[in-house]
Every structure is written in structure tokens, then in C-alpha cells.
């Protein structure tokens, strides 16, 4: 959930604390908003990608027949939904894809991932991405039928979040020539809608309540991460089947926000197919607060021998977050630790663009916004993420020159601090 103060698990206490900042106003406003007609709900737009390619997208239902669903015992097979973003051609005849389907939007609104935003006040299903549904992939040259090898990046969202909450960054990478596979972790994400119209909602709030009662929160955090890693590795197993023809993988990376960043690094530790990974403010230990020591993941305890990008909210780096420090100490890297000054935990999601506009339209307290995304200007936060995540994967997956952007501080991005 993107309003959390750290990234390892479904910490409802932090969510409630953020919500309490606006409690006196929100109570009455929610009652009004629930009954508000759709035409009066806030509608949002996302920043357009800046790369040279238009973006196409297709979605797939994947079924892992060899793995019963770990969250719902009655499900004999694990089912996932993934969206594939890719550089496209001839997009004008293809509609822009919705950020969330109606079923996903209803589940997102019900779970209230943006704590403090009144339910029913935002038309989440109205937002359009800049990816065109079913558009044909770009080819190496006109009429060529040979495979086009492109770098692939897996994307895993934060706990409770849908795969679509990283749309700004995933569309950006696709516009720069990457294939990005966005993974919904079923029964973890707020809601996942399958092609037959079935909508599966998150089981994590009730799982967390039970874990608190039984004193098994650490075990739940371990399970949550393990399920996500297994999901990512299964997607890799199906990679060639889900890439649009004629695309083929040249190299594979992984990235994610919060628990998604944890999963990306842990998946790289467990699977040599992943060549580089970026962690956007996700812990690497089974703890509930960023600066708590506690049980380390194996990626933190062992380290990795492949490139890692850590991008933390203001105050989080490998000196202040124990699990990041363990990774730094035990691995051989190369590792890069960046801090976006003024950022919050949810800065690394579409909340950066959405929350300020929602708050302005609904008259929500400024503290609710800054508690989630910090004080950095949204347009600067978006520019920083686009620049540095792209440069990292360009360097490590494409072996391209990034004009020295990753070598040290840049006058173009004074909000970024390099942490030695």
C-alpha cells in the first residue's frame, strides 16, 4: 500500500496513521462521495512518455498448473494477470488502454490504497494510459519478419497495489525501447480482473489482522515476498509465449516499488536469468519499519554479484536502512544508492501525479499529500525517476553510454543525492 512509511509488508497501522491526518474532514466527505454520481467524480490524467517510440500493450492470463494458489486453498493453480508494454508502430488505429478496468478500479477504491481519499470520489476507471491496446510492435525495419531482440524488465508493484500503479514509469521505459512486463500478484493486489470478468480482491488485510492476533507477522511477510518471487520467476518461464511477435528478449532486468522492489532484488538473487534490478524504496528484511533491524532476506544476507540500483525516499539509504546496509556489505555489485531529496515512499508510483490533483479538487489537507509523496515537486520527481531508472537499465542491459549520469551528481537533477 503506497501510503506506508516503509515497504516490506501490509502495515495497516501506518495506513491508518496517514488517514488520521484528514480524519475530521474525511468522515463526512466519504458519505457524500459514495453517493456522488460518476460525472462529478475526479478524473485524472498521467504524464505522457518522452521516449521516441509510441507504446503498445497486451494483457495475458497466466496459469501455473504446478503451483496451488498460496492464498486461497480452494484454487488448485496459481493465476496471474500481466500487462506487456512495448515499443509500437501504427498506434493511431488502436485505443489507449485504461489504467484500471472497472473491476480493478472498484477494488482499488474499496481498499482505499491512497489513505485519506474519500471512497467514491475518484473515477479510477476513467484514467487512460499512453499505451495503445493491441498495437503492433515496432520492427527493426519495414517489412522485416526476423525476431527483434529488446531488453525486458519485469515490474512488481507495492503491497496491495495493482500492476497499473506504476504506469508512468513502465510506459516511459517502453517508449524508450524496452519490453516491460507488469505483474499483478493475485490476492495481494487490491483487485485483479480476469478475461472472463471474474475479479479477485486482496486477502492481505484479513491475513494481516490474523497475523497480528497470532503473533505471526514475520511469517506473513516472508510468505508475501516468497509468493511474489515465485510469481516473477513463473513469468520468466513463460516469457517467450507472452512477448508479441516478433519481439525476443536480449537481456532481462527487474524493478519495483516497495515490496515490489524487494521482490525484484530477491528474484535476481534466486534466478540468474535476471541481470540487473532496481529497488524503489523497498526493504530487504522481514520488519515493519524502515530502520528496524530484524530477519534479513537472503538477498540482503548473501548480497548479489549483479548490478543493483537502490532509490530511497528522503532519509532512506544503505547507512540508515539496516537491510540495505547488509546488502551493501555482503554483495559485490556494482551497487548504486540514490536518494531523491524531499521524496516520500509513494513518490515512486503514480501517486506522485495523482494525489496533488485529487487533494486540490477535493480540498484535502496538504499533510495527506506530503505524508505519502513528500515535498518534492511532482514533475521533478517524475523526471528523476525516468532519467535514472532508464539510465540504469540502459547501462546494465544495453551497455549504452548514459553521458555519465550514473557517475555522480548532475546539475540537471540537483534533487538527487549519491550515497557513498
Amino acid at each position: 500500500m503506497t501510503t506506508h512509511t516503509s515497504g516490506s509488508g501490509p502495515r495497516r497501522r501506518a495506513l491508518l496513521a496517514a488517514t488520521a491526518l484528514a480524519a475530521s474532514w474525511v468522515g463526512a466527505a466519504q458519505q457524500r462521495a459514495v453517493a456522488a454520481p460518476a460525472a462529478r467524480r475526479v478524473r485524472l490524467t498521467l504524464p505522457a512518455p518522452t521516449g521516441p517510440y509510441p507504446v503498445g500493450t497486451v494483457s495475458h492470463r497466466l496459469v501455473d498448473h504446478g503451483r496451488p494458489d498460496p492464498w486461497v486453498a480452494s484454487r488448485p493453480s496459481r493465476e496471474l494477470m500481466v500487462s506487456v508494454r512495448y515499443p509500437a508502430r501504427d498506434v493511431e488505429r488502436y485505443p489507449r488502454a485504461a489504467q484500471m478496468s472497472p473491476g480493478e478500479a472498484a477494488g482499488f477504491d474499496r481498499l482505499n490504497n491512497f489513505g485519506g481519499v474519500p471512497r467514491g470520489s475518484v473515477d479510477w476507471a476513467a484514467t487512460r494510459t499512453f499505451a495503445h491496446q493491441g498495437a503492433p510492435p515496432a520492427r527493426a525495419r519495414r517489412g522485416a519478419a526476423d525476431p527483434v531482440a529488446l531488453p525486458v524488465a519485469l515490474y512488481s508493484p507495492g503491497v496491495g497495489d495493482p500492476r497499473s500503479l506504476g504506469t508512468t514509469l513502465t510506459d516511459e521505459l517502453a517508449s524508450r525501447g524496452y519490453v516491460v512486463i507488469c505483474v499483478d500478484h493475485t490476492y495481494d493486489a487490491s483487485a485483479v480482473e480476469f478475461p472472463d470478468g471474474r475479479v479477485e480482491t486482496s486477502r492481505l488485510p484479513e491475513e494481516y489482522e490474523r497475523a497480528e492476533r497470532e503473533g505471526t507477522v514475520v511469517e506473513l511477510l516472508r510468505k508475501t515476498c516468497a509468493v511474489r518471487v515465485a510469481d516473477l520467476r513463473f513469468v520468466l518461464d513463460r516469457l517467450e509465449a507472452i512477448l508479441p511477435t516478433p519481439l525476443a528478449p536480449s537481456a532481462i532486468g527487474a524493478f519495483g516499488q516497495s515490496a515490489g522492489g524487494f521482490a525484484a532484488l530477491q528474484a535476481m538473487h534466486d534466478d540468474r536469468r535476471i541481470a540487473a534490478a532496481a529497488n524503489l524504496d523497498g526493504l530487504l528484511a522481514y520488519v515493519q519499519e524502515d530502520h528496524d533491524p530484524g530477519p534479513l532476506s537472503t538477498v540482503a544476507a548473501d548480497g548479489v554479484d549483479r548490478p543493483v540500483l537502490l532509490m530511497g525516499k528522503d532519509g532512506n539509504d544503505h547507512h540508515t536502512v539496516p537491510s540495505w546496509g547488509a546488502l551493501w556489505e555482503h554483495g559485490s555489485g556494482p551497487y548504486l544508492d540514490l536518494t531523491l531529496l524531499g521524496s516520500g515512499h509513494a513518490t515512486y508510483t503514480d501517486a506522485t501525479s495523482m494525489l496533488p490533483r485529487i487533494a486540490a479538487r477535493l480540498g484535502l489537507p496538504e499533510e495527506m499529500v506530503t505524508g505519502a509523496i513528500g515535498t518534492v515537486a511532482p514533475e521533478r520527481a517524475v523526471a528523476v525517476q525516468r532519467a535514472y531508472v532508464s539510465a540504469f537499465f540502459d547501462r546494465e542491459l544495453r551497455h549504452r553510454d548514459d553521458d555519465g549520469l550514473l557517475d555522480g551528481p548532475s546539475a540537471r537533477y540537483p534533487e538527487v543525492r549519491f550515497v557513498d
Side-chain angles (χ1 to χ4, degrees):
M1 298 179 186
T2 54
T3 51
H4 293 150
T5 55
S6 63
S8 65
R11 294 179 294 281
R12 295 180 68 236
R13 286 194 300 270
L15 178 61
L16 293 174
T19 305
L21 291 171
S24 60
W25 187 90
V26 167
Q30 281 186 324
Q31 294 179 7
R32 294 195 302 271
V34 168
R40 291 171 52 191
R41 295 175 186 169
V42 176
R43 293 193 167 197
L44 301 165
T45 58
L46 295 170
T50 65
Y53 296 99
V55 178
T57 186
V58 292
S59 296
H60 295 279
R61 169 180 172 261
L62 303 181
V63 182
D64 187 350
H65 295 288
R67 181 168 50 129
D69 194 281
W71 298 114
V72 179
S74 61
R75 292 280 177 189
S77 302
R78 178 71 168 158
E79 292 181 82
L80 303 174
M81 285 298 297
V82 302
S83 295
V84 184
R85 299 298 213 250
Y86 52 87
R89 57 185 172 87
D90 300 331
V91 298
E92 292 183 3
R93 296 181 292 117
Y94 298 86
R96 285 167 57 183
Q99 184 181 26
M100 301 182 202
S101 70
E104 292 164 346
F108 185 80
D109 190 64
R110 185 165 50 249
L111 190 61
N112 203 14
N113 293 45
F114 290 177
V117 175
R119 287 187 185 180
S121 61
V122 178
D123 188 353
W124 301 109
T127 306
R128 290 292 177 267
T129 72
F130 287 88
H132 296 257
Q133 190 69 47
R139 296 183 185 274
R141 60 185 184 279
R142 184 177 297 276
D146 295 335
V148 178
L150 295 178
V152 172
L154 301 182
Y155 174 74
S156 178
V159 160
D161 289 341
R163 68 191 189 273
S164 57
L165 205 61
T167 291
T168 300
L169 191 50
T170 57
D171 279 2
E172 178 69 18
L173 286 169
S175 79
R176 295 185 184 217
Y178 287 84
V179 178
V180 186
I181 302 176
C182 313
V183 182
D184 257 341
H185 302 285
T186 312
Y187 303 116
D188 175 330
S190 50
V192 181
E193 185 163 352
F194 289 92
D196 61 2
R198 174 168 48 95
V199 178
E200 302 292 355
T201 56
S202 180
R203 300 297 179 94
L204 288 186
E206 61 203 65
E207 291 280 348
Y208 185 68
E209 288 178 358
R210 179 165 59 248
E212 278 204 313
R213 290 195 308 269
E214 298 174 356
T216 57
V217 171
V218 170
E219 288 78 1
L220 176 59
L221 298 179
R222 288 184 186 276
K223 178 179 178 178
T224 302
C225 185
V227 171
R228 286 165 160 262
V229 171
D231 289 347
L232 294 179
R233 298 186 70 182
F234 174 64
V235 172
L236 286 180
D237 293 341
R238 298 293 304 277
L239 192 58
E240 292 188 6
I242 64 178
L243 293 186
T245 304
L247 304 183
S250 61
I252 298 171
F255 71 111
Q257 185 264 350
S258 190
F262 186 163
L265 264 64
Q266 186 65 51
M268 182 168 69
H269 171 275
D270 296 351
D271 199 314
R272 298 294 305 185
R273 290 176 290 183
I274 299 175
N279 176 6
L280 308 180
D281 207 46
L283 300 185
L284 301 174
Y286 305 106
V287 296
Q288 297 194 73
E289 300 298 335
D290 294 23
H291 304 150
D292 285 352
L296 294 175
S297 63
T298 53
V299 65
D302 300 340
V304 287
D305 60 356
R306 279 150 288 157
V308 169
L309 169 64
L310 300 175
M311 286 192 75
K313 71 176 185 179
D314 202 341
N316 280 3
D317 57 49
H318 71 273
H319 299 297
T320 63
V321 178
S323 60
W324 289 15
L327 172 76
W328 210 265
E329 177 184 356
H330 298 140
S332 56
Y335 295 163
L336 181 62
D337 186 356
L338 305 178
T339 296
L340 174 54
L341 299 177
S343 63
H345 182 58
T347 299
Y348 300 102
T349 73
D350 291 331
T352 292
S353 300
M354 292 175 155
L355 269 180
R357 281 178 281 175
I358 294 170
R361 285 283 304 277
L362 299 180
L364 300 178
E366 181 181 356
E367 292 85 354
M368 192 211 76
V369 177
T370 58
I373 65 171
T375 57
V376 62
E379 63 275 10
R380 294 302 301 168
V382 169
V384 163
Q385 293 173 68
R386 286 172 162 173
Y388 284 90
V389 175
S390 298
F392 172 72
F393 283 130
D394 278 353
R395 175 177 284 193
E396 306 303 347
L397 300 184
R398 288 171 144 167
H399 309 293
R400 288 186 176 179
D401 181 17
D402 54 30
D403 295 324
L405 184 63
L406 301 182
D407 295 334
S410 168
R412 288 180 292 161
Y413 302 102
E415 309 91 339
V416 175
R417 182 170 70 91
F418 283 67
V419 184
D420 296 327

